[in-house]
Amino acid sequence: MTNTIYDKKPVDKLTFADDGMFQEVMRNPEICAELIERLLHLKVGHVEYPELEKAIKPFYTTKGVRLDVYLKDEDKIIDVELQCYPQEALGKRTRYYQSMIDMDSLMKGQDYPELKESYILFICKQDPFFIDEENKLSYGLPCYTFQNICKENAEVNLNDKSLTVIYNASAYEAEKDEKIKAFLHFISTNEPGKDDFTKRLSKLVEKIKDNENFRSDYAAMNLHDRDIRRAAIKEGAQQKTIEAAIEFYENGVSVEIIAKSLKMTTERVLEIVGEKAQKKA
């Protein structure tokens, strides 16, 4: 799997599963708590307000993370991620998220027993696990649950109070829990069906689409993302031009011909190959 840049949808085409809309719907603490209770089978205490796109970067030199939805209550921390597209190294991604969450939650001077229970919940539209990745043959489970247990004896639990649950919406038909099945069906097809919760989600999505503040914020976010993509493409093109100039020069092409071929000034070519030109001289 490779990282791919996907164009943002127009606001009127957004579904609950789309970036931006998912976070906006999850601003509702009751909806957020109900979704977690349904998918993780645990009771969520009073949540004042879910943190959206929470950024964690403990040190300047470490890679930070930006979590979709981050909740805390009295005894637990829950990170909820929704992935519309395949993600590279999902297992290592969840491992790193877990480490950042732990580092963020344990204050200096606190002891390890004070770490709260930690849950990482991924909702994926496509199956992230393959028996044969080359032929796209997946395991086809609707849910994958990971917990640290002893390899030699499965009854021995590390008891680190961490759990990772990854749902595969594309396999909703195989899910036995009717409430989860209805939710996964909604994620996969955008059809709420007869389930009360998914109908409420669908209505909330349509209401948000008509909200002028959301439409304005979403448009601004799109422009920002587009600018970042354009800058990255431009930077990549410039790097390729530099590499081409060096390769031409190393193969004996004159500075003048390089400049003409790559539509650069001779001064710029000399700047790029300057050190090599001096060594040749």
Side-chain angles (χ1 to χ4, degrees):
M1 285 186 258
T2 56
N3 289 325
T4 308
I5 296 174
Y6 297 90
D7 289 331
K8 295 282 187 178
K9 289 183 181 178
V11 68
D12 293 321
K13 299 288 186 181
L14 290 176
T15 69
F16 172 73
D18 287 311
D19 190 37
M21 180 59 74
F22 172 65
Q23 287 90 343
E24 189 68 21
V25 172
M26 294 291 274
R27 285 182 183 275
N28 185 313
E30 292 180 3
I31 290 286
C32 200
E34 188 168 349
L35 182 147
I36 288 165
E37 289 176 2
R38 177 174 291 213
L39 297 183
L40 293 180
H41 304 290
L42 56 86
K43 189 69 179 174
V44 178
H46 179 66
V47 178
E48 289 291 339
Y49 198 85
E51 290 187 64
L52 307 177
E53 296 194 314
K54 177 180 174 65
I56 302 175
K57 189 171 182 180
F59 307 109
Y60 177 74
T61 53
T62 58
K63 177 179 175 63
V65 297
R66 188 173 294 276
L67 309 177
D68 281 355
V69 181
Y70 182 87
L71 296 96
K72 279 185 182 180
D73 69 3
E74 295 81 7
D75 59 355
K76 64 182 72 71
I77 296 172
I78 303 164
D79 166 41
V80 187
E81 305 288 326
L82 201 157
Q83 303 289 341
C84 285
Y85 305 104
Q87 295 293 322
E88 189 175 22
L90 183 60
K92 290 183 178 180
R93 181 184 294 263
T94 62
R95 169 184 161 188
Y96 195 73
Y97 282 14
Q98 182 65 66
S99 67
M100 290 292 102
I101 289 169
D102 288 343
M103 197 174 294
D104 184 63
S105 63
L106 196 65
M107 296 293 107
K108 186 176 180 180
Q110 288 184 300
D111 293 325
Y112 295 120
E114 296 179 74
L115 270 176
K116 294 184 177 184
E117 292 180 21
S118 174
Y119 298 84
I120 295 179
L121 172 61
F122 268 75
I123 305 163
C124 302
K125 287 194 75 172
Q126 302 170 28
D127 197 330
F129 300 108
F130 292 91
I131 303 170
D132 182 349
E133 189 165 359
E134 185 177 343
N135 295 309
K136 300 301 179 185
L137 180 62
S138 65
Y139 285 94
L141 295 177
C143 181
Y144 301 89
T145 303
F146 301 93
Q147 192 171 29
N148 288 320
I149 59 174
C150 179
K151 186 176 180 180
E152 289 74 17
N153 186 339
E155 293 183 7
V156 180
N157 194 317
L158 189 60
N159 200 30
D160 61 353
K161 303 296 183 183
S162 68
L163 189 74
T164 298
V165 179
I166 300 174
Y167 278 98
N168 164 30
S170 68
Y172 65 86
E173 291 181 346
E175 176 57 52
K176 295 179 180 178
D177 185 305
E178 289 300 323
K179 288 187 175 181
I180 294 177
K181 182 177 182 177
F183 177 77
L184 295 181
H185 176 265
F186 177 56
I187 295 295
S188 182
T189 66
N190 197 38
E191 297 174 2
K194 297 180 181 180
D195 182 72
D196 177 66
F197 180 59
T198 54
K199 284 196 289 187
R200 279 187 285 133
L201 288 176
S202 184
K203 287 180 181 177
L204 187 52
V205 167
E206 295 308 312
K207 182 178 179 181
I208 290 170
K209 286 180 186 178
D210 291 332
N211 184 288
E212 289 302 321
N213 288 334
F214 173 77
R215 296 179 76 91
S216 176
D217 290 344
Y218 185 76
M221 182 175 68
N222 277 358
L223 286 172
H224 175 66
D225 289 351
R226 218 169 284 140
D227 287 344
I228 290 174
R229 286 200 297 272
R230 284 172 181 162
I233 292 167
K234 184 177 179 182
E235 184 178 339
Q238 288 174 343
Q239 183 60 33
K240 285 181 180 179
T241 302
I242 290 170
E243 290 170 0
I246 293 170
E247 186 177 350
F248 283 150
Y249 185 77
E250 288 179 341
N251 282 284
V253 180
S254 71
V255 169
E256 290 75 15
I257 293 176
I258 293 171
K260 187 175 182 180
S261 300
L262 297 178
K263 297 180 180 178
M264 303 168 72
T265 64
T266 54
E267 288 78 13
R268 176 58 180 148
V269 175
L270 285 169
E271 183 183 334
I272 292 169
V273 301
E275 290 184 11
K276 295 184 181 292
Q278 287 174 11
K279 287 178 182 177
K280 263 191 173 182

